[in-house]
Amino acid sequence: MTRARISSAQFFVAMFVSHILVTIALNAQYTGGESILDNIVSCLAAMAAAALIALPIWLCQRRGSVPELAVESLGAVGYIVPIAYWLYFLLAGSSSLTLFQIFLMDTVNPGFSASLVTAAIVGVSLYGALRGIETVARCATCVFVVMLLGCGLVFGIVAVRFDTKNLEPLFQHGLAQTGQGMTLFLARTSLFADMAVLLPQVNGRKGRGFTGWLIGVGAFVSLTILLIAGCLGRYAYTQNFPVYVLASLTEVRSLQRLDAVFTGVWMMGLIIKLAIDLYACRVCFYSITGGREKKWPVWGTAVLLLALTMLAVGNSPLQKLLLDPWKLCLCTVIIGGVLPMLVWLAAAVRGRRAEK
């Protein structure tokens, strides 16, 4: 079956937009300490690790998506791989949605139900996934432009408040926080799973696109953390969402506070992320059925995603599980590096046997 294809630039721009969620939801609780500047080193280390984790995906992508290659090489056992990717997308999406709903309930306190906002986000994401990857990619490009303009406005205004006296020395409490921060950045990087499933549908110079993603994410996150530390000082360590606090301190006459920009950017990035992940679920189920892409698995996944999020908000153990950086990081490394490597080895062995 011939699938829609997008350019390398479109794909990695969409990945950049969805990954900004990591920065927006950054706080001391999950990074493991009060030295927020250490997170710059954590981010750069995570980007270096990402380049290594993604290597097996590059080996597989010339032959097809990792789920399809697994089914071809491993037979009935290979069906475990697309199911594993589907479960990961469900886990990563629920984690992102749960964090956003916690933000709405604890920080924004809207005058309407936060659950309705979450349901609307899932609904829009579902619509995008059903329309196809081309639609999501075009939307992501528009969101990317809006995001840069919005963040540029906020960053430009808060830069006036920047004070070098607020900056503290790196590693003053050791390297433990740096390791915890690196774990968090990797845990919230669903790029590996998206690449494993969707990279064969991407045209152009994928290696250059991936390199641009690494550099872009590293630069954006580092700048954001530097501004948080320089503008808020130790006050940032006491806040659940310091980027939101940074935006809420800015004013532009008639626009007043710009915290709405923060919320809007988060929502747009979340929609792009969920839409891509839901579309990737379509590809996973296609590798199982081997026929026409079915849309009912996407509907089912969206319903499960929303149900799991609603359940997690009122269930502390489940919430802790979904937001645990170490568990999420382990799942990310397995899905992003270990499974593609095993599939590639199985395909290589199968190819040698066929030659004999």
Side-chain angles (χ1 to χ4, degrees):
M1 175 181 176
T2 302
R3 292 202 190 98
R5 303 178 72 87
I6 59 176
S7 69
S8 174
Q10 287 178 311
F11 179 76
F12 286 103
V13 162
M15 292 296 99
F16 178 86
V17 169
S18 63
H19 192 73
I20 294 309
L21 300 172
V22 173
T23 311
I24 288 177
L26 193 69
N27 60 46
Q29 176 184 353
Y30 294 109
T31 56
E34 298 182 350
S35 300
I36 195 168
L37 275 181
D38 288 6
N39 294 315
I40 294 178
V41 180
S42 299
C43 175
L44 297 179
M47 293 303 98
L52 296 176
I53 294 173
L55 285 178
I57 297 175
W58 294 110
L59 296 174
C60 292
Q61 61 94 20
R62 293 181 180 179
R63 303 184 180 184
S65 71
V66 173
E68 291 176 343
L69 188 59
V71 173
E72 293 174 4
S73 304
L74 299 172
V77 178
Y79 291 129
I80 296 175
V81 174
I83 293 174
Y85 276 98
W86 173 73
L87 289 173
Y88 176 79
F89 288 127
L90 184 62
L91 172 65
S94 300
S95 176
S96 297
L97 267 178
T98 299
L99 195 59
F100 180 74
Q101 189 160 355
I102 291 173
F103 161 72
L104 288 179
M105 296 172 63
D106 295 348
T107 305
V108 178
N109 294 317
F112 46 87
S113 173
S115 298
L116 289 179
V117 178
T118 304
I121 290 175
V122 174
V124 175
S125 303
L126 173 62
Y127 175 77
L130 294 174
R131 293 288 295 176
I133 193 172
E134 289 179 308
T135 300
V136 179
R138 287 195 295 268
C139 181
T141 302
C142 297
V143 171
F144 176 71
V145 175
V146 173
M147 186 195 72
L148 289 184
L149 292 175
C151 293
L153 177 63
V154 174
F155 288 173
I157 294 173
V158 300
V160 180
R161 298 173 176 267
F162 190 88
D163 189 348
T164 55
K165 294 180 181 178
N166 290 328
L167 303 180
E168 299 179 351
L170 292 172
F171 314 124
Q172 61 177 337
H173 300 299
L175 297 175
Q177 181 181 333
T178 303
Q180 172 80 5
M182 179 180 173
T183 300
L184 177 67
F185 284 115
L186 287 176
R188 295 181 180 175
T189 304
S190 59
L191 168 75
F192 308 119
D194 290 313
M195 286 175 60
V197 176
L198 300 177
L199 208 55
Q201 293 180 237
V202 178
N203 293 325
R205 299 181 177 180
K206 306 169 191 177
R208 179 177 294 183
F210 181 61
T211 302
W213 181 87
L214 290 174
I215 296 174
V217 169
F220 185 91
V221 174
S222 298
L223 176 61
T224 304
I225 293 174
L226 183 63
L227 286 174
I228 292 173
C231 297
L232 300 181
R234 297 195 62 81
Y235 179 65
Y237 311 144
T238 64
Q239 303 302 306
N240 288 332
F241 302 96
V243 183
Y244 176 80
V245 175
L246 189 68
S248 66
L249 294 177
T250 60
E251 294 185 2
V252 182
R253 296 185 180 180
S254 60
L255 294 179
Q256 297 302 319
R257 300 192 318 175
L258 298 182
D259 45 350
V261 175
F262 169 90
T263 307
V265 168
W266 194 346
M267 289 180 64
M268 290 186 293
L270 188 54
I271 288 172
I272 296 300
K273 171 183 170 51
L274 295 179
I276 291 176
D277 289 355
L278 286 173
Y279 177 81
C281 290
R282 285 179 60 179
V283 179
C284 288
F285 277 94
Y286 172 79
S287 65
I288 295 175
T289 61
R292 183 180 177 183
E293 287 187 1
K294 308 293 184 180
K295 293 186 178 181
W296 66 263
V298 187
W299 283 91
T301 303
V303 171
L304 286 175
L305 182 64
L306 183 59
L308 190 58
T309 301
M310 297 302 180
L311 183 61
V313 172
N315 189 313
S316 296
L318 180 57
Q319 184 182 128
K320 185 177 180 180
L321 175 65
L322 290 176
L323 300 179
D324 189 317
W326 293 101
K327 292 184 176 64
L328 283 174
C329 183
L330 179 62
C331 292
T332 299
V333 172
I334 292 174
I335 288 293
V338 176
L339 270 186
M341 177 57 74
L342 293 176
V343 170
W344 179 77
L345 290 174
V349 170
R350 183 173 180 269
R352 290 178 181 177
R353 289 178 177 174
E355 290 176 359
K356 292 180 179 180

